[in-house]
Amino acid sequence: MTLYQPFLDYAINLMQEQLSLEPYPIPEGFEQKQGTMGKGIKETTVLTTSYAYKCPKLRQIRAAHVEGGNSLQVLNFVIFPELNYDLPFFGADLVTLPGGHLIALDLQPLFHDELYQQKYYQGSLLSIFTNLSEQLPWGGDFPDEAKSFFSPVFLWTRPQQTEIVETLVLEAFKQYLQTYLSYVEQAQIVSDRQKQLEILAAQKRYVNYRATKDPARGMFTRLYGEEWTEEYIHGFLFDLERQLLVFP
Ligand code: DBV
């Protein structure tokens, strides 16, 4: 059992209980990919497994799970809502490298106005965040240009101990996902044409940013080559633009 498997298992179980999950297609060759890192006795096998689902309100629910021994573990899990809901994205970037753990967890906003803040970032989520952020060290600087993609409950930390990941961070992940699923349940269709266009623009901006700046690009390129990596990023991990070409 690797470090982030309990996160993945919890998420899939909870979603199966609460959503009408259906499979979302994973392009051929991307379901599972094996590569190696390091040389000689340090050589380790690195396995990347992809998961993808959808349900009526959520266009794509997808995860990439990278398993490469104790010093390389990643779970990147993002939920992309349908374009006629103003729901935030669920975003989790759980990363363990030789240098330590890096945790980013958020319900990433489409908009920044007062009403949107009140709708999604007040109430129980804010107290969950306040409580957790008191117990976890701040993760430090991140790119300025990324700031508009995070919310007031952005949990960003680099825990020193693995045990913190297994306990506090897992608990945070569960609470954020539960909160997100309650928002999904309550979400109402947006039928205003202007608002729909604003949602589309905000979703594109987010996806284009993440595809362009994907911090895993270097790792994947070293492991599996450039062609595989670019296709994985644009054809699976952040596929909105491709999907819009097929279903405009
Ligand atoms: N990050 C992804 C995907 C990953 C992934 C799809 C499948 O978006 C992994 C894998 N994130 C990953 C790895 C690293 C990070 C780092 C491997 C380490 C990179 C390295 O040090 O070599 C949040 N993730 C980071 C960092 C941030 C985030 C701020 C550190 C800064 C950096 O190295 O660039 N999550 C990330 C982010 C957004 C987000 C920038 C923006 C909206 O949601």
Side-chain angles (χ1 to χ4, degrees), residues 228-239:
W228 186 93
T229 299
E230 292 310 314
E231 195 51 32
Y232 191 51
I233 291 173
H234 294 282
F236 178 65
L237 291 176
F238 302 106
D239 74 350

Side-chain angles (χ1 to χ4, degrees), residues 48 62 64-66 72 74-76 78 91-95 97 102 104 108 141-143 146 149-150 154 156 158 206 209-210 213-217 219-220 222 232 237-238:
T48 297
R62 60 78 180 150
H65 190 199
V66 181
L72 178 59
V74 178
L75 179 64
N76 183 270
V78 182
D93 202 13
L94 314 172
V95 180
L97 298 173
L102 174 157
Q108 299 186 286
D141 276 355
F142 57 88
F149 298 107
F150 296 114
F154 177 37
W156 169 236
R158 295 175 192 262
Y206 176 82
Y209 178 79
R210 298 225 29 196
K213 298 292 160 89
D214 191 341
R217 181 174 261 111
M219 173 186 80
F220 281 138
R222 280 189 295 277
Y232 191 51
L237 291 176
F238 302 106

Side-chain angles (χ1 to χ4, degrees), residues 148-201:
S148 76
F149 298 107
F150 296 114
S151 84
V153 301
F154 177 37
L155 198 73
W156 169 236
T157 184
R158 295 175 192 262
Q160 298 285 334
Q161 299 142 297
T162 301
E163 201 198 328
I164 296 289
V165 177
E166 293 166 332
T167 56
L168 264 184
V169 174
L170 178 57
E171 197 49 42
F173 179 84
K174 290 179 178 179
Q175 295 192 358
Y176 273 53
L177 188 61
Q178 286 168 19
T179 306
Y180 188 77
L181 295 190
S182 76
Y183 291 157
V184 173
E185 196 194 341
Q186 293 158 38
Q188 301 290 321
I189 283 193
V190 172
S191 40
D192 180 74
R193 186 68 191 134
Q194 184 55 39
K195 195 74 192 170
Q196 288 177 352
L197 290 172
E198 287 169 21
I199 293 170
L200 175 64

Side-chain angles (χ1 to χ4, degrees), residues 32-79:
Q32 202 156 61
K33 181 77 176 171
Q34 200 168 302
T36 57
M37 216 165 231
K39 291 231 152 58
I41 53 162
K42 283 192 180 162
E43 185 170 297
T44 43
T45 299
V46 182
L47 184 67
T48 297
T49 310
S50 302
Y51 299 81
Y53 307 91
K54 65 185 167 85
C55 72
K57 293 177 180 176
L58 303 172
R59 187 187 67 80
Q60 188 201 30
I61 301 163
R62 60 78 180 150
H65 190 199
V66 181
E67 297 168 286
N70 282 342
S71 52
L72 178 59
Q73 294 290 324
V74 178
L75 179 64
N76 183 270
F77 176 41
V78 182
I79 299 179

Side-chain angles (χ1 to χ4, degrees), residues 82-147:
E82 281 291 355
L83 300 171
N84 52 354
Y85 290 91
D86 77 354
L87 287 163
F89 305 93
F90 180 90
D93 202 13
L94 314 172
V95 180
T96 300
L97 298 173
H101 308 293
L102 174 157
I103 303 295
L105 182 62
D106 200 7
L107 307 192
Q108 299 186 286
L110 289 176
F111 306 114
H112 291 278
D113 57 276
E114 193 63 34
L115 265 175
Y116 197 81
Q117 301 287 316
Q118 280 172 17
K119 190 169 177 184
Y120 292 119
Y121 304 107
Q122 305 274 322
S124 66
L125 191 59
L126 196 57
S127 25
I128 293 168
F129 168 76
T130 308
N131 185 274
L132 287 162
S133 55
E134 280 164 4
Q135 301 176 70
L136 293 164
W138 170 246
D141 276 355
F142 57 88
D144 257 343
E145 55 193 11
K147 287 186 177 143

